[in-house]
Structure formats: C-alpha cells, structure tokens
Amino acid sequence: MSGEIRPLIDIRGVRKQFRSRSGTFLEALTDTSLAVQSKQFVCIVGPSGCGKSTLLRMIAGLETISGGAITIDGVPITGPRRDIGLVFQSPVLLPWRTILKNILVPAEVLKLDSAASLRRGHDLLHLVGLDGFADRYPDELSGGMRQRAAIARALMHDPAILLMDEPFGALDALTREAMNLELLRIWQASTKTVVLVTHSIEEAILLSDKVAVFSPRPGFIRELIDVPIARPRSAATRSDPVFIRLAERLRSHFEASAAA
Ligand SMILES: Nc1ncnc2c1ncn2[C@@H]1O[C@H](COP(=O)(O)OP(=O)(O)OP(=O)(O)O)[C@@H](O)[C@H]1O
Ligand SMILES: [Mg+2]
C-alpha cells in the first residue's frame, strides 16, 4: 500500500449485468475502478449507454452490484444513505406537491427542524433561480426549471456527497454556464464531494479535479485525466491554455471511441 489517504468513495472492479425480461444478460459495466477522495470533484464522461447512470445509482445504493465492491468511508454500500444527495438524469418530483414542498422532502424524511428547513428551502429556491415559484406545481414548470428544483432538493439536507446525473442537460447554454459557476461556488463554500455525469467536455473540465472517461458499453474507465487548473475557477477559465489543451485531448478520446 502507498501512503495515500483512503478514498471517500472507493469503486473497485465493479461489474453490472442486467437481466432482460426475455432472460438474456446485458453487461452494462465491466471492471470499473475509481477512487474519489473526500472533497474532490470528479466528472464522468462517456458515450450514451456505457453505464454512467448505472454507476451513480450503484453508489447511491439504488442498484445492486454484480461484481466488485463500492465502499463509502470504508463501509460497503447496502442501500441509500443519508449523507448522499442525488440528482437524477430526469427530475423526479412529486406532482401533487408544490415546488417548495418537493424541496422540503429530505428535511421531512430526516425530521430536520421545520422552521430552519423552510428558510433553507427559500434560500435554495433563490440559489437555483426559482424565486416566485415556491407554490407552483411541477407540471407548471419547464423541464429545466424542474431540474433546478431537483438540484435544490438534493442540497436540502446538506449532504457530504452529491451525485449528479447530467444535472444541466435540459438547460439552455446561458443558464447552464451560470449553474456551472453556481455549483462551483457551492462546492467551494461547502467542500462537498461531487461525482457528476455530463456529456459536455467543457463542463467536465471547468468543474473537475479529475475526469473519468468511459469506454462504450460495457463501460470501464478508459482514462482518468487530472485537471491541474487553479481554483477558484471562473468563466475566464475556459480560455486558459491548459483548459483548451485538455478539451482537445478529451475530444480526441470521444472521436476514438465513436470510431471504435
Ligand atoms: N434497469 C435496467 N434493466 C435493464 N437494462 C438496463 C437497466 N438500466 C440500464 N440498462 C442498460 O444498461 C446500459 C447502461 O445504461 P445507463 O443508463 O447506465 O447508461 P448511461 O451511460 O447513463 O447512458 P446515457 O448517457 O444515455 O444516459 C444500457 O445498455 C441500458 O440499456
Ligand atoms: Mg445516463
């Protein structure tokens, strides 16, 4: 063993096989290993169907593991944990509850102080740009607004680990850039550990300490790229020569896997 500190999220040789209704097996992930240190920001990029969402769901304890192991702080995952906030690829909001009441769900489940949670709920609505929508219902919001509500909900109980599955995919480019910077600010202020799936190479580099590039299905990590760009980062980071060089390198990976 080297003298490295134990990773907060330790994914070792993980496999995932799905059994279809007709009884055939589908290998979604194969031999995937990734160590995420506490307070690190790691992005996952890779072609559609390579198992990114599956991996996130396994870390969240929502999906069984077919082989290998995932531990958090040395403890094997057996089911959902309180210290994880999860943003799904498509926002899952309860249609019969208002936006504010949706955001308050984790606080209710964890029986947090209701007055403080209500204040935090309003603060989070402001953070994600949904002021004035507290009493609306999910079907009265656009897809991007629903996704922002889901992000606010994931932050409600201030989890140490945030797992985000293409959280900004449904947003327009300008809002997406603003949310990127906002997420960086939140992460810097609260030093959470974040694993975020994205299809955007620029987003991955802007946000991450490390980018894990997945192969096509069955997915495994084809390359792990360090992002040695100083923090705090800003919109200007995109014109940093290191940023541009890394973007080119990542793009060539995608082209290589598309051609494979
Ligand atoms: N519940 C399931 N039952 C059977 N197969 C599944 C299930 N969930 C995912 N799969 C399969 O596993 C593979 C990986 O799916 P996953 O959703 O993890 O991909 P992804 O990398 O997130 O793709 P995308 O970028 O399109 O979101 C796919 O081939 C998919 O068909
Ligand atoms: Mg997915």
Side-chain angles (χ1 to χ4, degrees):
M1 287 285 282
S2 68
E4 272 197 11
I5 6 160
R6 182 172 75 187
L8 180 64
I9 305 173
D10 199 1
I11 301 165
R12 288 204 185 187
V14 162
R15 279 181 49 246
K16 179 67 188 182
Q17 219 177 32
F18 286 108
R19 195 195 168 107
S20 73
R21 287 191 193 90
S22 59
T24 53
F25 287 96
L26 180 136
E27 189 91 353
L29 275 175
T30 181
D31 198 17
T32 296
S33 297
L34 178 66
V36 182
Q37 303 294 338
S38 176
K39 301 177 178 42
Q40 238 178 6
F41 201 127
V42 175
C43 279
I44 294 177
V45 295
S48 179
C50 72
K52 304 179 297 294
S53 297
T54 302
L55 180 62
L56 237 51
R57 292 172 59 82
M58 288 195 290
I59 301 171
L62 298 175
E63 195 80 77
T64 57
I65 298 168
S66 311
I70 304 180
T71 58
I72 293 185
D73 224 358
V75 181
I77 290 165
T78 50
R81 295 168 52 117
R82 289 180 168 214
D83 52 356
I84 291 183
L86 178 62
V87 179
F88 293 94
Q89 192 164 354
S90 21
V92 189
L93 299 172
L94 303 172
W96 60 88
R97 294 183 69 139
T98 63
I99 295 304
L100 179 62
K101 289 263 169 66
N102 264 286
I103 289 175
L104 288 170
V105 166
E108 288 172 22
V109 172
L110 299 175
K111 299 189 170 58
L112 306 180
D113 176 74
S114 51
S117 299
L118 200 59
R119 275 197 304 279
R120 183 164 168 81
H122 282 288
D123 288 349
L124 287 168
L125 279 175
H126 177 69
L127 177 76
V128 297
L130 288 176
D131 288 305
F133 289 89
D135 299 322
R136 301 291 187 89
Y137 287 82
D139 67 358
E140 298 177 293
L141 268 59
S142 73
M145 292 164 86
R146 285 200 285 268
Q147 189 60 300
R148 283 184 276 147
I151 293 168
R153 183 185 52 193
L155 293 168
M156 182 70 220
H157 59 299
D158 201 19
I161 299 172
L162 256 186
L163 305 176
M164 307 178 90
D165 198 351
E166 296 185 43
F168 310 128
L171 304 182
D172 65 273
L174 283 180
T175 311
R176 184 172 188 151
E177 284 182 16
M179 290 293 295
N180 276 179
L181 298 177
E182 203 51 59
L183 178 60
L184 274 181
R185 201 186 57 73
I186 295 169
W187 173 76
Q188 260 146 216
S190 62
T191 53
K192 294 181 185 307
T193 306
V194 183
V195 182
L196 182 146
V197 173
T198 177
H199 279 287
S200 160
I201 287 171
E202 277 74 22
E203 187 168 278
I205 300 170
L206 179 68
L207 299 173
S208 317
D209 297 308
K210 282 199 286 196
V211 182
V213 183
F214 271 70
S215 72
R217 188 181 68 79
F220 61 90
I221 297 174
R222 178 172 260 180
E223 202 186 357
L224 198 56
I225 295 176
D226 280 317
V227 182
I229 301 177
R231 297 185 186 270
R233 299 178 189 164
S234 66
T237 302
R238 292 173 213 274
S239 41
D240 187 308
V242 180
F243 184 101
I244 294 166
R245 192 170 45 73
L246 280 175
E248 278 167 10
R249 179 159 157 211
L250 271 166
R251 199 155 281 120
S252 69
H253 261 284
F254 270 106
E255 280 154 14
S257 55

